[in-house]
């Protein structure tokens, strides 16, 4: 068994040593005056928020939440759902947003497409034109299937319905590909940092439009933890958070945003698309792709194991692991049928090549 593992699991992803060093809590506490209310920490956190807004190229409000991304999916509903929500789903995570919506007590309808297919602008038009909804949820990149939805086209349709707030799960796309939340009129985009941001799990980030922020003020029973007004009140109080944040991860985010700004959003997207193209080409030759070719994800490739009789997904993953390389099983009902290769965060084309070369050795290809 190799003693050093390189991870191509689509989250939590491979983390670089510099980032782990930056999250080292003791250093953080010493450097920042020991408390999240200290002037040292708030100045540091202010810089994090500025870097985040700059990297995402947005004028919307940005928040960092001490929760995983699911917390912010709940925040979206608590702050944005008043009349009735339409949850568009194309896989496990987008479908879970429907469960979250109902568990938050909101009226909601689920509009689902088959796994491997995308939520289309036509489908969105069909439902928004009913006039029944004041909020919609959609996933940008469905991690369970390897589909990237056509967000620009979906947003163009949604713009025709100004009473509907557009809530977008960008968990496995944000920072890997550019999302023009301001231009597209996306009222909320959210992501956990254990995906393309390549940090350890534990915090999540989001952007919130003025329109959603104003709307939220009139929605009762938003609770406290994910209440935008509370988050904003503290953000205005010299960049603070209502509750104790995960300071070590915020230190990691500070470091990572610095690195991301150095690389540049465009170059980062190019690197992700190059890695995706390499994995997709390989998957087409050796196996098959699960997702509709029109909507292949730039961060995750879901490979259909068409060689199951010769090598099971478990044996293939095990053989890679013995050689120091991690990939993920198929998600949920696709376990065994598929395996997933994450190509996001700080991974490089050279590392992807190592994975594919090793996979070929195992397959004897
Ligand atoms: N949405 C998508 C697309 C995801 O991939 C995930 C996690 O993998 C989630 C939501 C949930 O994120 P978290 O586990 O950070 O709450």
């Amino acid at each position: 068994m190799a003693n050093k593992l390189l991870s191509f699991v689509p989250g939590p992803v491979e983390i670089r040593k510099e980032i782990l060093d930056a999250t080292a809590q003791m250093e953080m506490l010493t450097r920042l005056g020991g408390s999240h209310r200290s002037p040292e920490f708030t100045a540091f956190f202010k810089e994090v928020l500025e870097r985040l807004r700059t990297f995402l190229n947005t004028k919307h409000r940005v928040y960092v939440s001490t929760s995983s991304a699911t917390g912010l999916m709940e925040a979206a509903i608590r702050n944005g759902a008043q009349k009735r929500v339409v949850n568009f789903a194309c896989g496990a995570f987008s479908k879970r947003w429907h469960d979250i919506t109902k568990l938050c007590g909101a009226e909601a309808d689920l509009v689902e497409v088959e796994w491997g297919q995308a939520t289309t602008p036509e489908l969105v038009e069909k439902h928004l034109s009913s006039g029944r909804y004041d909020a919609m949820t959609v996933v940008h990149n469905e991690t369970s299937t390897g589909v990237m939805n056509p967000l620009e086209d979906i947003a163009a349709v949604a713009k025709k319905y100004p009473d509907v707030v557009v809530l977008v799960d960008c968990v496995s796309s944000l920072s890997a590909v550019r999302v023009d939340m301001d231009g597209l009129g996306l009222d909320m985009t959210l992501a956990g940092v254990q995906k393309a941001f390549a940090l350890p799990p534990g915090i999540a980030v989001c952007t919130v439009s003025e329109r959603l922020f104003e709307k939220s003020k009139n929605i009762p029973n938003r609770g406290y933890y994910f209440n935008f007004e509370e988050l904003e009140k503290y953000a205005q109080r010299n960049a603070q958070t209502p509750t104790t944040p995960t300071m070590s991860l915020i230190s990691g985010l500070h470091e990572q945003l610095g690195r991301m700004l150095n690389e540049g959003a465009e170059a980062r997207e190019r690197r992700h698309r190059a890695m995706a193209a390499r994995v997709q080409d390989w998957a087409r030759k050796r196996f098959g792709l699960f997702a509709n070719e029109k909507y292949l994800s730039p961060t995750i490739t879901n490979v259909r194991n068409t060689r199951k009789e010769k090598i099971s997904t478990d044996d293939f993953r095990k053989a890679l692991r013995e050689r120091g390389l991690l990939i993920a099983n198929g998600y949920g009902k696709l376990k065994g049928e598929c395996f997933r290769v994450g190509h996001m965060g700080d991974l490089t084309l050279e590392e992807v090549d190592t994975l594919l070369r090793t996979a070929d050795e195992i397959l004897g290809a």
Side-chain angles (χ1 to χ4, degrees), residues 68-70 73 93 96 139 141-143 169 171-172 194-195:
S68 78
T70 305
M73 291 164 85
F93 293 104
R96 192 190 285 168
V139 65
N141 192 73
E142 181 47 79
T143 318
D169 170 344
V171 170
S172 52
Q194 76 277 18
K195 304 280 188 198

